[in-house]
Amino acid sequence: MSGARCRTLYPFSGERHGQGLRFAAGELITLLQVPDGGWWEGEKEDGLRGWFPASYVQLLEKPGMVPPPPGEESQTVILPPGWQSYLSPQGRRYYVNTTTNETTWERPSSSPGIPASPGSHRSSLPPTVNGYHASGTPAHPPETAHMSVRKSTGDSQNLGSSSPSKKQSKENTITINCVTFPHPDTMPEQQLLKPTEWSYCDYFWADKKDPQGNGTVAGFELLLQKQLKGKQMQKEMSEFIRERIKIEEDYAKNLAKLSQNSLASQEEGSLGEAWAQVKKSLADEAEVHLKFSAKLHSEVEKPLMNFRENFKKDMKKCDHHIADLRKQLASRYASVEKARKALTERQRDLEMKTQQLEIKLSNKTEEDIKKARRKSTQAGDDLMRCVDLYNQAQSKWFEEMVTTTLELERLEVERVEMIRQHLCQYTQLRHETDMFNQSTVEPVDQLLRKVDPAKDRELWVREHKTGSIRPVDMEI
């Protein structure tokens, strides 16, 4: 498909994508790469290149170049001015008046706006909308319909399946979050944006049954709960480190107090020196633990507490934004259904008046038929407008969902990495503290190895002796 051209359906800013291609609705783009995954690379007429969602564009085709289905004549079909012929996915030819949006299965006659068969009905196919009929039938051959990049949507984002029958369309689709998806039994396997990464952007489009009740929880809400839970876990880790700091401070305080204790302070000699060093080592160890607790506070606890202080508030803003888009999508969907019903009523009224005129059951004039046809056409235009607004709303929702879920994914990776680094810092500080503690007892070990009872006795005797002449025996 590389080298083909497409026309943009909706504006795309590309601001949140590093290599996004910015364009407005109605621009022409030449395709450069069309990989699986739903994102295409293209070049605008001004030479700018970049990537964009495939669902934002529609491939172009040459009108009237569709080959006839088996059983029909192979020569070029000559149609009245303003009419074009297309093939349905089932291989059946139908005709569209590009001026009035009239669509019919019957080949039109030479009179513009009137099918070849006098008994044909305009309700055979509704008007086209963004390359799709309102009932779900593509207005162009399947290979020219634009692709969807969503995990669970496919071509259903244009409100329908590939069948012109409403009953079959209902059987082949299912509505979730006010968005029409293919039915799981008929839906082909969808392309993932990140097929090998289990990314947030691929698996949280639908609602999930709430295990604590009978309601459902939006997939995006699950992601927000995951983020808020991570923030809570981070807060609890910070509180845990604070308790560890408190233990270190109390321990250091008790060591310093114990080092000032006067017990055994009268020990003499080399053993007395060793005992004094033992008490001094307690004061040194207390200083080590005070420094350890200070570093824990500044390098571990404080960063954990201050990381994303406004995270919860930012998540609420994000939640409200996505929720507003979903509400808008639901409103647009309701408008589409209302316009669809109005079109059906107008078509039914036109059909009834046409039949009455044909069997001469009323005095309806041709002007009445034209009036009914204008109302039907207007109802079709209203439906087209509603579907277009719906498609714009769902495209905006889709773009924001992908962008936001990828951002949440990035934030979660960043949170985990931040906690990992600070816990590594905690273990490093522990190792340093153990080394410093070891250094405080090394002088004690050295003095203990020098303890010599004989020398201590000698020194003591020299200092405290009372005399070196022992008493002699007395003779009588």
Side-chain angles (χ1 to χ4, degrees), residues 4 11 35 39 60 67 76 100 136 241-242 252 260-261 294 305 335 350 361 397 402 463 473:
W39 287 81
L60 299 179
T76 303
T100 64
I241 298 297
R242 186 184 304 121
Q260 302 298 323
N261 194 291
M305 283 296 294
S335 298
L350 174 61
L361 292 180
W397 177 65
V402 171
E463 182 178 354
D473 294 337

Side-chain angles (χ1 to χ4, degrees), residues 150-152 176-177 181 192 198-208 217-226 322 326 397 401-402 405-406 408-409:
R150 188 172 300 175
K151 161 74 173 69
S152 307
I176 304 176
N177 287 347
F181 296 85
L192 302 179
W198 289 93
S199 174
Y200 289 171
C201 66
D202 282 323
Y203 297 99
F204 293 92
W205 292 96
D207 292 351
K208 183 177 182 180
V217 180
F220 186 76
E221 179 66 23
L222 290 176
L223 291 179
L224 290 180
Q225 292 176 3
K226 165 70 173 173
I322 297 296
R326 285 185 59 181
W397 177 65
M401 275 286 290
V402 171
T405 53
L406 289 178
L408 293 180
E409 189 174 289

Side-chain angles (χ1 to χ4, degrees), residues 319-463:
D319 185 20
H320 291 162
H321 178 58
I322 297 296
D324 290 343
L325 289 177
R326 285 185 59 181
K327 290 179 181 178
Q328 184 182 31
L329 192 63
S331 175
R332 299 298 189 195
Y333 185 83
S335 298
V336 168
E337 292 303 307
K338 183 178 179 180
R340 192 195 305 278
K341 293 179 181 178
L343 175 61
T344 302
E345 293 176 359
R346 293 298 183 184
Q347 289 178 332
R348 188 181 298 113
D349 180 61
L350 174 61
E351 185 177 330
M352 181 179 64
K353 290 180 178 179
T354 304
Q355 292 177 352
Q356 290 177 351
L357 180 63
E358 291 175 353
I359 61 178
K360 298 179 181 181
L361 292 180
S362 67
N363 296 325
K364 298 293 183 181
T365 63
E366 185 67 23
E367 187 64 28
D368 295 327
I369 300 298
K370 291 182 179 179
K371 183 177 179 180
R373 182 174 290 120
R374 284 196 300 270
K375 290 183 178 181
S376 179
T377 301
Q378 182 180 358
D381 292 341
D382 292 340
L383 177 59
M384 292 169 61
R385 183 166 52 254
C386 291
V387 173
D388 184 55
L389 291 175
Y390 171 85
N391 287 337
Q392 293 180 31
Q394 76 85 17
S395 295
K396 180 64 175 176
W397 177 65
F398 169 60
E399 180 181 357
E400 291 298 321
M401 275 286 290
V402 171
T403 302
T404 307
T405 53
L406 289 178
E407 177 66 11
L408 293 180
E409 189 174 289
R410 184 191 68 80
L411 290 175
E412 176 64 9
V413 172
E414 185 179 282
R415 183 189 73 87
V416 172
E417 179 61 22
M418 184 276 299
I419 293 177
R420 186 194 69 81
Q421 291 179 0
H422 286 88
L423 292 182
C424 288
Q425 179 66 12
Y426 167 78
T427 58
Q428 178 65 26
L429 291 174
R430 275 293 313 277
H431 289 315
E432 293 177 359
T433 301
D434 293 341
M435 291 175 59
F436 289 141
N437 283 335
Q438 182 64 30
S439 66
T440 63
V441 297
E442 287 178 357
V444 177
D445 289 338
Q446 294 175 3
L447 289 177
L448 289 176
R449 283 194 291 269
K450 294 180 180 179
V451 172
D452 186 348
K455 186 175 182 180
D456 285 352
R457 183 176 66 252
E458 176 185 349
L459 292 175
W460 187 86
V461 169
R462 286 177 180 274
E463 182 178 354

Side-chain angles (χ1 to χ4, degrees), residues 40-203:
W40 295 351
E41 183 184 20
E43 180 179 358
K44 294 168 53 176
E45 293 181 323
D46 57 7
L48 292 178
R49 294 187 176 189
W51 293 83
F52 55 89
S55 62
Y56 277 48
V57 300
Q58 182 177 16
L59 292 173
L60 299 179
E61 66 169 359
K62 296 181 180 180
M65 297 303 292
V66 182
E72 294 192 12
E73 297 181 358
S74 60
Q75 64 267 24
T76 303
V77 179
I78 300 176
L79 299 173
W83 286 89
Q84 299 294 343
S85 63
Y86 302 98
L87 288 180
S88 71
Q90 291 76 25
R92 184 178 177 186
R93 183 177 296 279
Y94 61 94
Y95 304 87
V96 178
N97 189 313
T98 57
T99 302
T100 64
N101 289 324
E102 182 178 349
T103 309
T104 178
W105 292 112
E106 303 295 336
R107 178 179 173 181
S109 65
S110 58
S111 300
I114 303 177
S117 173
S120 64
H121 305 309
R122 289 190 59 207
S123 60
S124 299
L125 282 175
T128 60
V129 181
N130 283 346
Y132 277 71
H133 293 291
S135 67
T137 305
H140 306 287
E143 61 270 15
T144 65
H146 64 271
M147 296 173 59
S148 170
V149 301
R150 188 172 300 175
K151 161 74 173 69
S152 307
T153 57
D155 291 337
S156 64
Q157 297 308 313
N158 291 284
L159 295 174
S161 65
S162 60
S163 170
S165 167
K166 277 190 177 182
K167 181 177 179 181
Q168 186 174 353
S169 175
K170 289 183 179 179
E171 292 175 351
N172 292 341
T173 61
I174 185 173
T175 300
I176 304 176
N177 287 347
C178 299
V179 182
T180 305
F181 296 85
H183 194 280
D185 295 337
T186 61
M187 180 177 63
E189 184 175 355
Q190 300 298 309
Q191 295 291 335
L192 302 179
L193 293 178
K194 294 186 174 183
T196 61
E197 298 184 22
W198 289 93
S199 174
Y200 289 171
C201 66
D202 282 323
Y203 297 99

